[in-house]
Amino acid sequence: MPTTPPLRIAVQKSGRLLDESIELLKECGIRIDNGRDQLKAPARNFNAEVLYLRNSDIPQYIQDGVADIGIIGENTLIEKQKDAKVVLKLGFSKCRLSLATPRGKTYSGVKSLHGQRIATSYPNSLRGFLREKGIEADIHEISGSVEIAPNIGLADAICDLVSTGSTLFKNGLEEQDVILKSEAVIAASPKIDAGRREILDKLVFRIKSVLAARNQKYVLMNVPNTNIQQIIELLPGMRSPTVLPLAEQGWSSVHTVITEDRFWDIIDRLRAAGAEGILVVPIAKMIV
C-alpha cells in the first residue's frame, strides 16, 4: 500500500519564533534532523518534514499548497491576506500591532491621524483599520526600523509591532491605539489532502496536550482527615481531587491540578486550611 507523503510544516528560518516552534515540536516528541542551513529537514519519528522559509513568504506557500501548514505569527497571516485557515492558536510570540506617535505630541484618538503621514511595514492591516474608522491618511510603506521614521521627518506617526514597548520608548514614541493582537498560530493550506489532514490532526492533538500542561501544576499535599472537605472545596480540580490514606492514621494525601495563574492564591488558602508538606510537580503532557 502507498504511504502518505509527509506533512510539510513551514517555519521561519531564523529568529525567536523559529526557536519556539522547534521547541514545541520537540515537546510533542518530534525530532527534527538539523535543518537550520537547509531548506528542508525531515522528522525522524513522525511523518512530517520542516521547511525553513522567509517569514513573509510562508502565507503564500501555504496558499499555494507548497506547505501544508505553517507556524506563523497571526499578524503576518492577516497582513498578507492569503487563503489559509487558522487551525490552532499557540499562546507564544504574543505581540500587538499598534499606532504610536512622538511622546508629548497631542493625541486625541485615531481622528488625530486624519491627513497625517504614517510609516508602517503593515500597510494592509493599517489601511483596513483606518478605513473602518473613516480616517484618511498618507501611508508610507517601509521595511525595518519603522520607529525612526518620525525622528527623521518621514512620518508623523508609525504603525508597528509592539511587545514590551521598550523600542518605542527608546525612540521617543508613545503607544496609542492597538490595531490587532497577535500570537503564533498553526495555519493550514486549503489544498491539504485527506492523508496529510489526518497527520495534522495527530499533531494538533499532541500540541494541545503540551499547551494544556504548560499552564498547569500537579500538586500533592498532606491533609488531616477532618479538613479534607474544606480543602476539596478550595480546589479547582479537573473533576475531583484524588484522596489517598497515609500510613499515619488520621491523615490523607490529596492530589490535584492547579492552573499557573491561580497557583499562589490557592496555595495560600490551602496552607491556611491545614494542608502540609505541599509538593508541586511540573506536568510534561496533559491528555484531556
Side-chain angles (χ1 to χ4, degrees):
M1 293 180 63
T3 58
T4 302
L7 181 73
R8 297 163 297 185
I9 307 171
V11 299
Q12 71 176 41
K13 61 183 180 180
S14 63
R16 182 178 175 183
L17 181 54
L18 168 64
D19 295 337
E20 291 179 306
S21 299
I22 296 302
E23 180 60 29
L24 177 63
L25 294 176
K26 286 181 179 179
E27 289 185 61
C28 291
I30 300 171
R31 298 292 177 260
I32 308 298
D33 287 325
N34 193 7
R36 293 210 180 198
D37 297 322
Q38 304 171 222
L39 174 63
K40 182 170 67 174
R44 274 179 277 159
N45 55 354
F46 191 77
N47 192 14
E49 59 186 11
V50 172
L51 308 180
Y52 295 86
L53 306 171
R54 285 179 51 191
N55 190 57
S56 59
D57 292 338
I58 291 176
Q60 184 69 58
Y61 281 112
I62 294 173
Q63 176 177 280
D64 294 343
V66 175
D68 301 304
I69 65 170
I71 301 178
I72 188 171
E74 194 173 10
N75 57 289
T76 302
L77 203 60
I78 293 171
E79 173 62 25
K80 295 301 180 180
Q81 300 180 343
K82 301 301 180 182
D83 188 6
K85 180 182 178 181
V86 173
V87 175
L88 183 66
K89 295 191 176 187
L90 300 176
F92 57 82
S93 289
K94 291 186 177 182
C95 60
R96 54 196 181 273
L97 184 62
S98 295
L99 292 164
T101 59
R103 200 159 50 243
K105 180 179 179 180
T106 300
Y107 184 84
S108 53
V110 182
K111 63 181 180 181
S112 302
L113 299 176
H114 189 80
Q116 300 289 294
R117 299 167 300 164
I118 308 174
T120 187
S121 298
Y122 294 85
N124 292 327
S125 301
L126 175 58
R127 194 172 291 114
F129 176 79
L130 295 177
R131 188 184 304 118
E132 287 181 4
K133 301 296 183 180
I135 304 297
E136 293 184 7
D138 185 8
I139 298 176
H140 287 250
E141 182 178 356
I142 58 178
S143 57
S145 301
V146 173
E147 63 276 357
I148 70 171
N151 291 331
I152 62 176
L154 181 63
D156 304 296
I158 70 166
C159 175
D160 201 15
L161 289 181
V162 178
S163 181
T164 63
S166 61
T167 301
L168 293 181
F169 182 81
K170 290 176 184 177
N171 286 274
L173 298 172
E174 183 177 1
E175 185 177 7
Q176 301 294 0
D177 281 293
V178 176
I179 289 180
L180 62 88
K181 294 183 178 180
S182 174
E183 62 186 88
V185 300
I186 290 182
S189 171
K191 298 184 179 181
I192 188 171
D193 58 41
R196 286 177 167 132
R197 167 62 70 175
E198 187 174 339
I199 300 172
L200 173 57
D201 290 341
K202 293 179 180 178
L203 176 61
V204 167
F205 173 77
R206 293 192 186 191
I207 291 175
K208 285 182 176 179
S209 299
V210 169
L211 296 181
R214 283 183 176 180
N215 192 42
Q216 307 283 346
K217 300 293 184 184
Y218 190 75
V219 180
L220 305 83
M221 70 201 82
N222 297 331
V223 179
N225 289 343
T226 54
N227 296 34
I228 286 178
Q229 188 57 43
Q230 182 182 358
I231 292 289
I232 289 175
E233 290 174 357
L234 293 173
L235 297 175
M238 298 168 64
R239 287 193 178 173
S240 64
T242 300
V243 180
L244 302 172
L246 293 179
E248 183 177 349
Q249 199 161 15
W251 285 78
S252 294
S253 176
V254 178
H255 301 208
T256 192
V257 173
I258 299 177
T259 59
E260 184 74 44
D261 56 349
R262 299 186 60 193
F263 177 77
W264 287 112
D265 177 56
I266 292 174
I267 290 296
D268 288 340
R269 295 182 185 183
L270 293 174
R271 291 178 63 233
E276 298 180 5
I278 300 173
L279 179 65
V280 182
V281 181
I283 301 174
K285 312 286 187 297
M286 190 160 75
I287 312 302
V288 294

